[in-house]
Amino acid sequence: MNCRSCHFVDEFAALTALGGSKRTYTDFAVRSPIPSRPDGKLTAPRNSPPLVNPSLNRPGGPLFHFDGEFSTLEDLVVETFTGRNFGWLSRQKAEAIHHIAQVMRGDDGTGAIATMFDGLSYRILFTGSNPNIPDELRLPPEFRVLIGSARDQEIFDAVVKVVAAYVNGLRFSQADDAGRPIRSPFDVFLTRNGLPQQPNSGETPLAYSRRLLTLVNGLASPQFVTTNPNRGNGLFQFHTQPFAFGAAELAGLMIFLREPSPPPTASPVEVAAGQIGNCLACHAAPDFTDFKLHNTRIAQDEYDGIHGNGSFMALTIPAFATRTSNDLPATEDHPTATEFFRSIPAWPILR
Amino acid sequence: MFPFNCRSKAFRQLVGRSSWVFLSILFIGCGGGSGSSPQSSVAATGTPGAEGSVGERLFVEASFAQFFKAHLNAGGNVNDALPASDPIVAPAIQS
């Protein structure tokens, strides 16, 4: 088990049964499998979240993991490396940290994974200054640790910091290897028609989206996109569909951006007339997301399917002041917690 | 162990850290006048972005898991390949 065991990229790209596609560091499972341990759990509550772009800046700061339980990548890495996904039970955090430190101390660079990265031991690699380290692996001082003399926690902290930095760097590129910009047909359409690609300073995404609709409505002769100007063959680099933003796409954009008057509820007349998507209520440009966690009813429908219609809504959710440790995830601080609110509906601990 | 590809090969849409690293090396390498060699300078300052490359190795490090700890408890060595992988890895492509 390692991070990549559930956060795939192209491991299964050759399997046409799975669509032959790459993953953005996620898996194909409904719920990701976890190591078998005495607690009887065999899957995580959900499948592995994608790791490309989750650390982008957003209003209120990022939230990570299944239910947004972490606000920093470092906290996420700590709980993953010492938690149930890696096979550690809730009372084993200290043991996990000691084990990881021992691995770091004992690694001599001869393992199969180490040899893919120049075959240096972690002891050498984390000095940052050893002359045998190739420059592309030479850690800046803030990431270094002297593994031979450091305490378990210091070694573990260094591991966490470096892994968090790696995940933080997983972003969709804005340029290809040749330096040419990677743009969607929508991006090219905006450019070709002199439309703004970003909100003005201080402008909210919603206000920008509304302004964009006004400007699009004012286009007398829209200039459509039929080819990718940033690639010689005029195509997408990784997709087979045509690189196009034409009349149909423009009509779709306008439906996407139109709102009821007044928002958010459409009148019967508006419903009958159609053409109002109100998508921007949650998918405002330019990010086309509100970066929030939503109840998409998947868990609710599953729960009701097992326990009866309406049973999910009948659950009592304790407030912050009234919740007990039993309501929280099982951790070293609350090792016997039932993890009720992250439970899979079919698990017997549900009440 | 499942197949592994380095990030730059596996996911070319992602940020090309290697070019950033190259430019950083070039910049550091051209920064003269301090009296210290470029090599010692890089050794002191490190290479910006190298944490991503080292992090990638840790991301695929299979020895941190409790399953590997059980292997060590049974007399295994940190640098040994596991005689059998954690069976939980196999069904990870279930639909």
Side-chain angles (χ1 to χ4, degrees), chain A residues 72-91:
Chain A
T72 70
L73 281 173
E74 286 79 5
D75 286 347
L76 169 60
V77 175
V78 166
E79 294 306 318
T80 299
F81 278 168
T82 64
R84 190 61 184 82
N85 288 1
F86 267 50
W88 302 104
L89 302 177
S90 54
R91 297 180 188 275

PDB file of all heavy atoms in Angstrom, chain A residues 72-91:
ATOM      1  N   THR A  72      -5.299  21.612   5.502  1.00  0.00           N
ATOM      2  CA  THR A  72      -3.944  21.683   4.947  1.00  0.00           C
ATOM      3  C   THR A  72      -3.553  20.316   4.388  1.00  0.00           C
ATOM      4  O   THR A  72      -4.002  19.274   4.889  1.00  0.00           O
ATOM      5  CB  THR A  72      -2.889  22.088   6.008  1.00  0.00           C
ATOM      6  OG1 THR A  72      -2.729  21.008   6.941  1.00  0.00           O
ATOM      7  CG2 THR A  72      -3.315  23.354   6.747  1.00  0.00           C
ATOM      8  N   LEU A  73      -2.701  20.351   3.378  1.00  0.00           N
ATOM      9  CA  LEU A  73      -2.211  19.096   2.822  1.00  0.00           C
ATOM     10  C   LEU A  73      -1.357  18.354   3.840  1.00  0.00           C
ATOM     11  O   LEU A  73      -1.337  17.110   3.862  1.00  0.00           O
ATOM     12  CB  LEU A  73      -1.391  19.376   1.556  1.00  0.00           C
ATOM     13  CG  LEU A  73      -2.191  19.646   0.287  1.00  0.00           C
ATOM     14  CD1 LEU A  73      -1.261  20.065  -0.842  1.00  0.00           C
ATOM     15  CD2 LEU A  73      -2.994  18.421  -0.114  1.00  0.00           C
ATOM     16  N   GLU A  74      -0.667  19.103   4.691  1.00  0.00           N
ATOM     17  CA  GLU A  74       0.176  18.448   5.695  1.00  0.00           C
ATOM     18  C   GLU A  74      -0.673  17.596   6.642  1.00  0.00           C
ATOM     19  O   GLU A  74      -0.320  16.455   6.953  1.00  0.00           O
ATOM     20  CB  GLU A  74       0.976  19.498   6.484  1.00  0.00           C
ATOM     21  CG  GLU A  74       2.136  20.121   5.721  1.00  0.00           C
ATOM     22  CD  GLU A  74       1.699  21.198   4.737  1.00  0.00           C
ATOM     23  OE1 GLU A  74       0.495  21.532   4.705  1.00  0.00           O
ATOM     24  OE2 GLU A  74       2.562  21.710   3.991  1.00  0.00           O
ATOM     25  N   ASP A  75      -1.791  18.144   7.093  1.00  0.00           N
ATOM     26  CA  ASP A  75      -2.672  17.361   7.982  1.00  0.00           C
ATOM     27  C   ASP A  75      -3.206  16.129   7.262  1.00  0.00           C
ATOM     28  O   ASP A  75      -3.329  15.050   7.850  1.00  0.00           O
ATOM     29  CB  ASP A  75      -3.850  18.231   8.439  1.00  0.00           C
ATOM     30  CG  ASP A  75      -3.442  19.256   9.482  1.00  0.00           C
ATOM     31  OD1 ASP A  75      -2.323  19.146  10.024  1.00  0.00           O
ATOM     32  OD2 ASP A  75      -4.237  20.176   9.748  1.00  0.00           O
ATOM     33  N   LEU A  76      -3.527  16.302   6.002  1.00  0.00           N
ATOM     34  CA  LEU A  76      -4.034  15.178   5.222  1.00  0.00           C
ATOM     35  C   LEU A  76      -2.984  14.077   5.115  1.00  0.00           C
ATOM     36  O   LEU A  76      -3.284  12.884   5.295  1.00  0.00           O
ATOM     37  CB  LEU A  76      -4.423  15.662   3.822  1.00  0.00           C
ATOM     38  CG  LEU A  76      -4.726  14.592   2.765  1.00  0.00           C
ATOM     39  CD1 LEU A  76      -5.872  13.705   3.195  1.00  0.00           C
ATOM     40  CD2 LEU A  76      -5.052  15.234   1.432  1.00  0.00           C
ATOM     41  N   VAL A  77      -1.746  14.446   4.846  1.00  0.00           N
ATOM     42  CA  VAL A  77      -0.681  13.456   4.698  1.00  0.00           C
ATOM     43  C   VAL A  77      -0.412  12.755   6.035  1.00  0.00           C
ATOM     44  O   VAL A  77      -0.238  11.531   6.087  1.00  0.00           O
ATOM     45  CB  VAL A  77       0.598  14.115   4.149  1.00  0.00           C
ATOM     46  CG1 VAL A  77       1.748  13.103   4.106  1.00  0.00           C
ATOM     47  CG2 VAL A  77       0.349  14.687   2.757  1.00  0.00           C
ATOM     48  N   VAL A  78      -0.409  13.524   7.121  1.00  0.00           N
ATOM     49  CA  VAL A  78      -0.189  12.931   8.445  1.00  0.00           C
ATOM     50  C   VAL A  78      -1.222  11.837   8.711  1.00  0.00           C
ATOM     51  O   VAL A  78      -0.877  10.707   9.090  1.00  0.00           O
ATOM     52  CB  VAL A  78      -0.268  14.010   9.545  1.00  0.00           C
ATOM     53  CG1 VAL A  78      -0.385  13.355  10.932  1.00  0.00           C
ATOM     54  CG2 VAL A  78       0.951  14.916   9.502  1.00  0.00           C
ATOM     55  N   GLU A  79      -2.485  12.167   8.517  1.00  0.00           N
ATOM     56  CA  GLU A  79      -3.538  11.207   8.850  1.00  0.00           C
ATOM     57  C   GLU A  79      -3.579  10.038   7.874  1.00  0.00           C
ATOM     58  O   GLU A  79      -4.018   8.947   8.223  1.00  0.00           O
ATOM     59  CB  GLU A  79      -4.888  11.921   8.892  1.00  0.00           C
ATOM     60  CG  GLU A  79      -4.990  12.943  10.010  1.00  0.00           C
ATOM     61  CD  GLU A  79      -4.668  12.368  11.385  1.00  0.00           C
ATOM     62  OE1 GLU A  79      -5.112  11.248  11.687  1.00  0.00           O
ATOM     63  OE2 GLU A  79      -3.942  13.040  12.154  1.00  0.00           O
ATOM     64  N   THR A  80      -3.141  10.263   6.647  1.00  0.00           N
ATOM     65  CA  THR A  80      -3.090   9.142   5.700  1.00  0.00           C
ATOM     66  C   THR A  80      -1.973   8.180   6.063  1.00  0.00           C
ATOM     67  O   THR A  80      -2.182   6.963   6.148  1.00  0.00           O
ATOM     68  CB  THR A  80      -2.880   9.659   4.271  1.00  0.00           C
ATOM     69  OG1 THR A  80      -3.972  10.512   3.911  1.00  0.00           O
ATOM     70  CG2 THR A  80      -2.819   8.507   3.277  1.00  0.00           C
ATOM     71  N   PHE A  81      -0.792   8.707   6.301  1.00  0.00           N
ATOM     72  CA  PHE A  81       0.349   7.845   6.600  1.00  0.00           C
ATOM     73  C   PHE A  81       0.206   7.110   7.929  1.00  0.00           C
ATOM     74  O   PHE A  81       0.808   6.052   8.118  1.00  0.00           O
ATOM     75  CB  PHE A  81       1.642   8.667   6.614  1.00  0.00           C
ATOM     76  CG  PHE A  81       2.218   8.902   5.239  1.00  0.00           C
ATOM     77  CD1 PHE A  81       3.239   9.834   5.055  1.00  0.00           C
ATOM     78  CD2 PHE A  81       1.785   8.202   4.131  1.00  0.00           C
ATOM     79  CE1 PHE A  81       3.784  10.062   3.794  1.00  0.00           C
ATOM     80  CE2 PHE A  81       2.318   8.416   2.878  1.00  0.00           C
ATOM     81  CZ  PHE A  81       3.328   9.349   2.708  1.00  0.00           C
ATOM     82  N   THR A  82      -0.533   7.690   8.847  1.00  0.00           N
ATOM     83  CA  THR A  82      -0.650   7.065  10.176  1.00  0.00           C
ATOM     84  C   THR A  82      -2.054   6.530  10.436  1.00  0.00           C
ATOM     85  O   THR A  82      -2.351   6.129  11.555  1.00  0.00           O
ATOM     86  CB  THR A  82      -0.301   8.078  11.285  1.00  0.00           C
ATOM     87  OG1 THR A  82      -1.261   9.144  11.280  1.00  0.00           O
ATOM     88  CG2 THR A  82       1.088   8.651  11.086  1.00  0.00           C
ATOM     89  N   GLY A  83      -2.891   6.539   9.413  1.00  0.00           N
ATOM     90  CA  GLY A  83      -4.298   6.190   9.626  1.00  0.00           C
ATOM     91  C   GLY A  83      -4.711   4.894   8.968  1.00  0.00           C
ATOM     92  O   GLY A  83      -3.893   4.111   8.472  1.00  0.00           O
ATOM     93  N   ARG A  84      -6.009   4.724   8.932  1.00  0.00           N
ATOM     94  CA  ARG A  84      -6.597   3.457   8.506  1.00  0.00           C
ATOM     95  C   ARG A  84      -6.299   3.122   7.056  1.00  0.00           C
ATOM     96  O   ARG A  84      -6.188   1.939   6.698  1.00  0.00           O
ATOM     97  CB  ARG A  84      -8.116   3.529   8.735  1.00  0.00           C
ATOM     98  CG  ARG A  84      -8.824   2.214   8.563  1.00  0.00           C
ATOM     99  CD  ARG A  84      -8.316   1.175   9.554  1.00  0.00           C
ATOM    100  NE  ARG A  84      -8.944  -0.118   9.293  1.00  0.00           N
ATOM    101  CZ  ARG A  84      -8.530  -0.968   8.349  1.00  0.00           C
ATOM    102  NH1 ARG A  84      -7.496  -0.670   7.589  1.00  0.00           N
ATOM    103  NH2 ARG A  84      -9.141  -2.111   8.165  1.00  0.00           N
ATOM    104  N   ASN A  85      -6.174   4.133   6.185  1.00  0.00           N
ATOM    105  CA  ASN A  85      -5.905   3.835   4.770  1.00  0.00           C
ATOM    106  C   ASN A  85      -4.576   3.113   4.593  1.00  0.00           C
ATOM    107  O   ASN A  85      -4.387   2.370   3.629  1.00  0.00           O
ATOM    108  CB  ASN A  85      -5.903   5.116   3.936  1.00  0.00           C
ATOM    109  CG  ASN A  85      -7.299   5.684   3.777  1.00  0.00           C
ATOM    110  OD1 ASN A  85      -8.256   5.130   4.298  1.00  0.00           O
ATOM    111  ND2 ASN A  85      -7.414   6.786   3.056  1.00  0.00           N
ATOM    112  N   PHE A  86      -3.646   3.348   5.479  1.00  0.00           N
ATOM    113  CA  PHE A  86      -2.359   2.663   5.421  1.00  0.00           C
ATOM    114  C   PHE A  86      -2.318   1.464   6.374  1.00  0.00           C
ATOM    115  O   PHE A  86      -1.254   0.913   6.626  1.00  0.00           O
ATOM    116  CB  PHE A  86      -1.222   3.639   5.733  1.00  0.00           C
ATOM    117  CG  PHE A  86      -0.626   4.262   4.495  1.00  0.00           C
ATOM    118  CD1 PHE A  86      -1.429   4.850   3.533  1.00  0.00           C
ATOM    119  CD2 PHE A  86       0.745   4.249   4.275  1.00  0.00           C
ATOM    120  CE1 PHE A  86      -0.900   5.404   2.387  1.00  0.00           C
ATOM    121  CE2 PHE A  86       1.295   4.804   3.119  1.00  0.00           C
ATOM    122  CZ  PHE A  86       0.471   5.378   2.178  1.00  0.00           C
ATOM    123  N   GLY A  87      -3.467   1.108   6.898  1.00  0.00           N
ATOM    124  CA  GLY A  87      -3.548  -0.102   7.724  1.00  0.00           C
ATOM    125  C   GLY A  87      -3.364   0.122   9.205  1.00  0.00           C
ATOM    126  O   GLY A  87      -3.399  -0.833   9.982  1.00  0.00           O
ATOM    127  N   TRP A  88      -3.174   1.364   9.608  1.00  0.00           N
ATOM    128  CA  TRP A  88      -2.928   1.626  11.027  1.00  0.00           C
ATOM    129  C   TRP A  88      -4.250   1.856  11.747  1.00  0.00           C
ATOM    130  O   TRP A  88      -5.097   2.614  11.286  1.00  0.00           O
ATOM    131  CB  TRP A  88      -2.025   2.855  11.201  1.00  0.00           C
ATOM    132  CG  TRP A  88      -0.700   2.723  10.519  1.00  0.00           C
ATOM    133  CD1 TRP A  88      -0.314   3.304   9.358  1.00  0.00           C
ATOM    134  CD2 TRP A  88       0.418   1.948  10.958  1.00  0.00           C
ATOM    135  NE1 TRP A  88       0.970   2.940   9.033  1.00  0.00           N
ATOM    136  CE2 TRP A  88       1.445   2.109  10.000  1.00  0.00           C
ATOM    137  CE3 TRP A  88       0.655   1.124  12.073  1.00  0.00           C
ATOM    138  CZ2 TRP A  88       2.691   1.484  10.117  1.00  0.00           C
ATOM    139  CZ3 TRP A  88       1.896   0.510  12.183  1.00  0.00           C
ATOM    140  CH2 TRP A  88       2.886   0.689  11.211  1.00  0.00           C
ATOM    141  N   LEU A  89      -4.422   1.220  12.873  1.00  0.00           N
ATOM    142  CA  LEU A  89      -5.622   1.408  13.677  1.00  0.00           C
ATOM    143  C   LEU A  89      -5.493   2.684  14.501  1.00  0.00           C
ATOM    144  O   LEU A  89      -4.412   3.271  14.614  1.00  0.00           O
ATOM    145  CB  LEU A  89      -5.847   0.185  14.570  1.00  0.00           C
ATOM    146  CG  LEU A  89      -5.995  -1.154  13.815  1.00  0.00           C
ATOM    147  CD1 LEU A  89      -6.131  -2.311  14.812  1.00  0.00           C
ATOM    148  CD2 LEU A  89      -7.194  -1.113  12.883  1.00  0.00           C
ATOM    149  N   SER A  90      -6.606   3.092  15.085  1.00  0.00           N
ATOM    150  CA  SER A  90      -6.636   4.418  15.714  1.00  0.00           C
ATOM    151  C   SER A  90      -5.694   4.554  16.907  1.00  0.00           C
ATOM    152  O   SER A  90      -5.355   5.652  17.301  1.00  0.00           O
ATOM    153  CB  SER A  90      -8.067   4.746  16.142  1.00  0.00           C
ATOM    154  OG  SER A  90      -8.589   3.703  16.955  1.00  0.00           O
ATOM    155  N   ARG A  91      -5.278   3.472  17.505  1.00  0.00           N
ATOM    156  CA  ARG A  91      -4.356   3.563  18.642  1.00  0.00           C
ATOM    157  C   ARG A  91      -2.903   3.442  18.208  1.00  0.00           C
ATOM    158  O   ARG A  91      -2.011   3.362  19.054  1.00  0.00           O
ATOM    159  CB  ARG A  91      -4.661   2.451  19.656  1.00  0.00           C
ATOM    160  CG  ARG A  91      -6.028   2.529  20.296  1.00  0.00           C
ATOM    161  CD  ARG A  91      -6.216   1.370  21.281  1.00  0.00           C
ATOM    162  NE  ARG A  91      -7.572   1.278  21.787  1.00  0.00           N
ATOM    163  CZ  ARG A  91      -8.044   1.957  22.823  1.00  0.00           C
ATOM    164  NH1 ARG A  91      -7.245   2.776  23.469  1.00  0.00           N
ATOM    165  NH2 ARG A  91      -9.285   1.813  23.221  1.00  0.00           N
TER     166      ARG A  91
END
